C-alpha cells in the first residue's frame, strides 16, 4: 500500500474490472497510467453489482423502453447519469489515452466521484461529444469531478463547439456559485471541430468559451489574449 505511481500502459488489460482490482491492493495510488489498454467495458464491467431493476448504463429502470428514454432525454435536455465508480480515493492523475472509450456519458462520467482527481488524460479516444451530466435538482447536492483542473482532449473526435460549452457544466455544474474547482488547463488538438479554421482561431474560440482556462495546449492564456478572444467570439 506504499505504491503511489503505477504505469500499466500497453499491458493488454482488457477489462476495467482488472483496474478496480488494482485499487483494492494499492489504495494509496496517486497516479495511474493505463494508455493503450482496452477499457471499453467501463460502462458495464460491474453491471452484476448494480441494484436490481437498475440499468447500469443510464441509471433508469430496466423495463423502460429505449424510445421512452430518448423521449425523456429530449424533454429534459439532460442525459441521465450512470452509476459512479467507487474506490481510488487518493488518485490524482489518470491517463486512459487510447483505451477505446467512446462515451462521455456512459463511461467518462463514471469517474466523477473520484475525490482527488485533478488530471484526466483522454487523448486518442473516439469520444465524439461531451454532454451535460447533471440535472438541475442534483446540482445542489452533488459535485462531479470536484477536484478536476486539467484535462487532455487531443484527437477525441469532438465535432461541435457545444461540447466545449458543455465542459464547464459537465465538469463544474456549480460554476458561478463559488463551489468546486475549475478547468484551468486544457490540451485540445486534432479534433474535427477545428479542422476548418486556423490554429489561432481555434485557440481564440476555445479560450472565449472556457472563462477559467489558464493554459491551452501548454501555453499560458494572458489577460490581453483573453480579453481579445472574448471580444471577438
Amino acid at each position: 500500500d506504499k505504491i503511489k505511481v503505477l504505469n500499466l500502459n500497453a499491458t493488454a488489460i482488457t477489462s476495467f474490472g482488472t483496474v478496480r482490482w488494482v485499487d483494492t491492493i494499492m489504495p494509496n495510488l496517486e497516479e495511474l497510467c493505463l494508455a493503450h489498454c482496452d477499457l471499453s467495458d467501463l460502462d458495464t464491467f460491474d453491471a452484476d453489482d448494480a441494484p436490481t431493476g437498475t440499468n447500469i448504463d443510464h441509471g433508469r429502470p430496466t423495463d423502460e423502453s429505449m424510445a421512452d428514454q430518448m423521449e425523456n432525454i429530449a424533454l429534459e435536455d439532460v442525459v441521465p447519469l450512470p452509476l459512479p465508480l467507487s474506490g481510488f480515493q487518493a488518485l490524482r492523475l489518470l491517463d486512459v489515452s487510447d483505451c477505446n472509450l467512446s462515451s462521455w456519458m456512459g463511461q467518462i462520467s463514471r469517474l466523477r466521484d473520484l475525490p482527488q482527481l485533478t488530471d484526466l488524460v483522454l487523448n486518442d479516444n473516439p469520444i465524439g461529444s461531451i454532454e451535460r451530466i447533471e440535472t438541475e435538482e442534483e446540482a445542489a447536492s452533488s459535485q462531479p469531478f470536484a477536484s478536476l483542473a486539467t484535462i487532455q482532449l487531443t484527437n477525441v473526435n469532438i465535432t461541435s463547439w457545444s461540447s466545449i460549452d458543455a465542459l464547464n457544466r459537465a465538469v463544474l455544474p456549480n460554476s458561478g456559485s463559488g463551489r468546486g474547482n475549475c478547468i484551468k488547463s486544457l490540451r485540445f488538438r486534432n479534433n474535427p471541430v477545428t479542422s476548418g479554421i486556423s490554429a489561432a482561431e481555434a485557440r481564440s474560440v476555445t479560450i472565449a468559451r472556457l472563462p477559467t482556462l489558464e493554459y491551452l495546449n501548454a501555453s499560458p492564456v494572458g489577460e490581453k489574449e483573453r480579453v481579445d478572444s472574448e471580444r471577438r467570439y
Side-chain angles (χ1 to χ4, degrees):
D1 60 359
K2 295 182 180 180
I3 297 175
K4 295 186 176 182
V5 178
L6 182 63
N7 189 329
L8 295 175
N9 290 343
T11 52
I13 290 174
T14 58
S15 172
F16 204 88
T18 302
V19 179
R20 190 152 78 167
W21 175 79
V22 168
D23 175 62
T24 65
I25 60 174
M26 302 178 187
N28 295 316
L29 268 184
E30 296 181 1
E31 298 183 13
L32 177 58
C33 298
L34 299 165
H36 316 300
C37 296
D38 185 358
L39 305 180
S40 56
D41 70 344
L42 175 55
D43 53 342
T44 60
F45 79 96
D46 55 353
D48 291 342
D49 299 335
T52 303
T54 298
N55 184 318
I56 190 70
D57 291 328
H58 299 290
R60 293 181 178 271
T62 55
D63 60 357
E64 183 177 22
S65 71
M66 181 61 69
D68 289 338
Q69 289 188 31
M70 292 300 101
E71 181 180 357
N72 287 335
I73 291 172
L75 289 173
E76 299 171 7
D77 193 30
V78 173
V79 180
L81 288 170
L83 297 177
L85 187 70
S86 61
F88 296 101
Q89 296 298 293
L91 195 66
R92 297 181 181 276
L93 181 149
L94 177 62
D95 185 349
V96 287
S97 298
D98 187 28
C99 287
N100 294 324
L101 301 175
S102 59
S103 171
W104 179 274
M105 183 61 248
Q107 297 168 321
I108 307 305
S109 72
R110 297 204 66 195
L111 306 173
R112 65 187 183 273
D113 278 4
L114 303 186
Q116 304 299 324
L117 187 65
T118 60
D119 295 70
L120 181 58
V121 184
L122 298 170
N123 299 333
D124 301 311
N125 286 293
I127 295 169
S129 64
I130 298 171
E131 300 95 0
R132 181 183 177 190
I133 64 167
E134 190 175 42
T135 63
E136 293 298 328
E137 63 210 35
E138 289 169 330
S141 60
S142 63
Q143 185 69 47
F145 296 104
S147 299
L148 194 63
T150 298
I151 188 167
Q152 296 191 29
L153 295 168
T154 292
N155 194 32
V156 295
N157 201 35
I158 297 296
T159 59
S160 171
W161 287 111
S162 63
S163 289
I164 299 302
D165 294 336
L167 191 58
N168 280 327
R169 296 193 299 272
V171 173
L172 188 66
N174 295 309
S175 58
S177 67
R179 299 174 59 191
N181 289 344
C182 309
I183 294 299
K184 298 179 180 179
S185 179
L186 169 69
R187 286 184 182 265
F188 188 66
R189 290 193 175 104
N190 300 334
N191 286 286
V193 69
T194 61
S195 62
I197 59 179
S198 67
E201 183 177 0
R203 180 177 174 86
S204 292
V205 174
T206 305
I207 290 171
R209 290 173 182 268
L210 295 172
T212 63
L213 202 62
E214 297 177 1
Y215 288 87
L216 177 57
N217 297 327
S219 177
V221 177
E223 182 177 352
K224 183 179 185 301
E225 183 180 25
R226 171 160 296 285
V227 171
D228 290 344
S229 296
E230 292 178 352
R231 181 181 296 135
R232 183 176 305 172
Y233 298 103

